[in-house]
Amino acid sequence: MVRDVDLYVTVPSFFRCPISLDVMKSPVSLCTGVTYDRTSIERWLDSGNNTCPATMQVLNSKEFVPNRTLQRLIKIWSDSVQTQKDNRVDSAASSVVTREDIEVLVKEMRARKDKTDRLSKFICFAKESEENCEFLAKFDGFVEMLVGFLVGDKDINFLERVVKVFVLILNKVGDYRALRLLILKQNNDCLSALLAVLKRGRSVSSRIGALKIIEAITLDAESKQMVSEKEGFLLELVKLISLENDPRLIEGSLSCLIAISMSKRVKTNLINFKVIAELRKLLTGGQKASVSIIEKALKLLEMVTSLREGRAEFCNDTACVEAVMNKVLKVSSEATEHAVMILWSVCYLFRDGDAQDVLVKSNGLTKILLLMQSNCSPVVRQMSGDLLKIFRVNSKFSSCLSSYDTKTTHIMPF
């Protein structure tokens, strides 16, 4: 049990490394099945040992593999502990704050007096009601003050609290265009602060909040370009859609990527950052990925495969083509539409033979025939018909068509 600012935390025993007894940062498993922190076990093996430290069993192999499941559990637990600590700090600052107090607090904040404590009071005030959120959003100079804090402070804990206040009042700001001008005119300093929260923020909620702020200000081509060209931003978003992360963070990152990935340059950069491989992992991740995540992953994949380079990488990734085909009629009508659009683009519009081969091997032809008999949209039905035209022309697929039982099959609508 660990005591941290009057918060007693019990650490699950299997989160601790058997060697260091600390919470594992990068858990890896030996051939014996025992998991250790990577740094500790590497030090043990580099010292010339050839046994498992916990069991003293002689190792047949010194290779180890990352324990992704345990790493994800530790991350969820760590985020939960951090949230409890944040809530305790907020509660400590929750002595009743009235609207009359806000003006005094704002003046004190501008005078740089104990900013963190006063931010906690703003958080508590905003959490009390929607009316309080709107009051803060409309309070003269309050939003400008928050933007100024993003520019002028490098302390990550403070920046996370600024983001938390921002997110609470974001829906009440009203004019996102004015907010866009405030944030983007600061020589990228605000974007640097938001990127720092994404990279180093200890709270999942604050990192998601940073994504929400960025998505809110990307209203036009200019703002999308400024955000996407911020050094390290696109790469960080691609890292955040990894299955190892919190599902809420994955979904927020996908939404942000979709919002800014309109230009050819951005799509090309994403392809170079291997986004297609990450999207394939999401599509093949089983129950780890929610319906919403699958829909957004397919939407982003549809966007990057609109480029020749994206189609080439997609078609060379057989598992990715199969994953897209497997989502047809399996997730939702929206997911089906995105999946069919991708397959139509590579197989019909650009006639990629490799993708057509994968389509047949994964029973795609049958699915397309079933899709045409379902309650799909006219657009999906038209694209499905186009795909069938390709299959009828190609002799490899004609036998599949002739042997298919054309009796009407009822497909339940989503």
Side-chain angles (χ1 to χ4, degrees):
M1 185 175 291
V2 179
R3 184 174 184 263
D4 189 352
V5 194
D6 294 330
L7 178 65
Y8 289 86
V9 179
T10 300
V11 180
S13 59
F14 58 94
F15 286 179
R16 295 184 183 274
C17 173
I19 298 175
S20 68
L21 300 182
D22 293 328
V23 175
M24 288 181 277
K25 295 180 179 179
S26 180
V28 294
S29 299
L30 291 178
C31 59
T32 58
V34 182
T35 299
Y36 302 91
D37 195 36
R38 181 187 295 270
T39 303
S40 297
I41 194 60
E42 283 181 341
R43 189 181 301 116
W44 170 266
L45 296 174
D46 289 344
S47 297
N49 297 295
N50 66 343
T51 58
C52 173
T55 65
M56 296 310 295
Q57 181 179 343
V58 176
L59 298 173
N60 296 325
S61 168
K62 291 187 178 182
E63 298 294 324
F64 47 75
V65 295
N67 191 328
R68 305 294 189 192
T69 300
L70 183 57
Q71 186 173 31
R72 193 161 179 267
L73 289 173
I74 292 174
K75 183 70 169 61
I76 293 171
W77 172 81
S78 178
D79 290 337
S80 175
V81 171
Q82 183 60 42
T83 299
Q84 292 179 52
K85 289 169 62 179
D86 289 344
N87 289 339
R88 288 180 68 86
V89 173
D90 292 343
S91 298
S94 64
S95 51
V96 178
V97 180
T98 65
R99 295 189 177 190
E100 289 72 24
D101 297 325
I102 293 299
E103 185 173 355
V104 175
L105 288 171
V106 170
K107 287 181 179 178
E108 291 175 344
M109 289 282 286
R110 286 172 175 163
R112 308 286 176 172
K113 294 182 179 179
D114 197 6
K115 295 183 295 182
T116 302
D117 180 59
R118 282 162 179 76
L119 275 176
S120 296
K121 291 183 178 180
F122 287 130
I123 292 170
C124 292
F125 178 77
K127 284 181 175 179
E128 288 178 1
S129 68
E130 291 291 313
E131 291 76 13
N132 285 358
C133 290
E134 186 166 5
F135 178 81
L136 287 176
K138 305 302 181 185
F139 190 89
D140 186 34
F142 186 76
V143 173
E144 291 82 353
M145 181 185 71
L146 292 180
V147 172
F149 289 152
L150 286 176
V151 174
D153 207 296
K154 303 301 180 185
D155 178 71
I156 194 66
N157 294 324
F158 178 74
L159 290 176
E160 284 189 279
R161 291 197 172 280
V162 174
V163 167
K164 184 178 286 190
V165 178
F166 238 130
V167 172
L168 285 168
I169 68 171
L170 192 59
N171 291 335
K172 306 298 181 181
V173 170
D175 188 2
Y176 284 164
R177 296 188 180 278
L179 180 61
R180 174 182 66 87
L181 291 174
L182 274 174
I183 291 179
L184 296 181
K185 75 178 183 180
Q186 301 292 337
N187 297 321
N188 269 344
D189 287 343
C190 281
L191 291 180
S192 295
L194 294 172
L195 180 57
V197 172
L198 284 178
K199 285 184 173 181
R200 298 187 285 116
R202 295 186 299 171
S203 165
V204 171
S205 60
S206 66
R207 298 169 79 188
I208 294 172
L211 291 170
K212 288 181 178 179
I213 295 170
I214 292 168
E215 189 176 356
I217 63 173
T218 51
L219 301 171
D220 53 26
E222 181 185 4
S223 58
K224 294 177 194 295
Q225 180 179 347
M226 289 185 68
V227 170
S228 62
E229 290 182 351
K230 174 64 183 173
E231 185 177 356
F233 181 69
L234 281 180
L235 182 57
E236 185 62 26
L237 287 184
V238 173
K239 290 179 180 178
L240 290 177
I241 65 174
S242 168
L243 265 178
E244 298 172 13
N245 289 314
D246 186 285
R248 296 167 297 164
L249 196 56
I250 295 173
E251 187 171 350
S253 300
L254 286 170
S255 295
C256 201
L257 282 169
I258 290 169
I260 65 175
S261 300
M262 296 299 176
S263 71
K264 180 178 180 180
R265 179 183 297 179
V266 175
K267 294 173 186 175
T268 300
N269 286 335
L270 288 178
I271 294 166
N272 292 336
F273 291 147
K274 305 300 181 185
V275 72
I276 291 177
E278 291 299 333
L279 293 174
R280 183 234 305 142
K281 293 174 186 176
L282 289 178
L283 296 176
T284 57
Q287 296 182 348
K288 293 180 181 179
S290 66
V291 170
S292 182
I293 286 177
I294 294 297
E295 290 172 348
K296 287 179 170 62
L298 287 169
K299 172 63 177 175
L300 185 58
L301 186 58
E302 179 187 329
M303 295 172 76
V304 295
T305 52
S306 65
L307 297 187
R308 178 177 54 82
E309 300 88 343
R311 288 191 297 274
E313 186 163 332
F314 171 72
C315 293
N316 287 333
D317 191 334
T318 302
C320 194
V321 179
E322 290 179 351
V324 171
M325 189 65 248
N326 288 336
K327 298 307 174 187
V328 175
L329 295 173
K330 286 286 187 68
V331 182
S332 68
S333 56
E334 182 178 339
T336 293
E337 186 161 337
H338 291 314
V340 172
M341 176 64 80
I342 295 167
L343 297 170
W344 177 82
S345 175
V346 297
C347 293
Y348 176 77
L349 198 58
F350 296 96
R351 310 296 174 103
D352 188 278
D354 291 337
Q356 292 176 353
D357 286 342
V358 174
L359 204 62
V360 170
K361 290 176 182 176
S362 60
N363 202 29
L365 185 58
T366 301
K367 273 198 171 185
I368 291 170
L369 288 165
L370 293 174
L371 185 60
M372 293 189 69
Q373 299 175 36
S374 71
N375 295 326
C376 61
S377 68
V379 174
V380 171
R381 184 171 287 108
Q382 178 62 52
M383 289 189 291
S384 301
D386 289 339
L387 287 169
L388 287 181
K389 292 175 186 176
I390 294 297
F391 295 149
R392 285 193 172 96
V393 169
N394 195 315
S395 60
K396 287 189 296 182
F397 309 126
S398 58
S399 59
C400 297
L401 280 169
S402 60
S403 64
Y404 180 75
D405 184 357
T406 57
K407 293 180 180 179
T408 302
T409 303
H410 180 66
I411 303 295
M412 294 297 291
F414 293 109

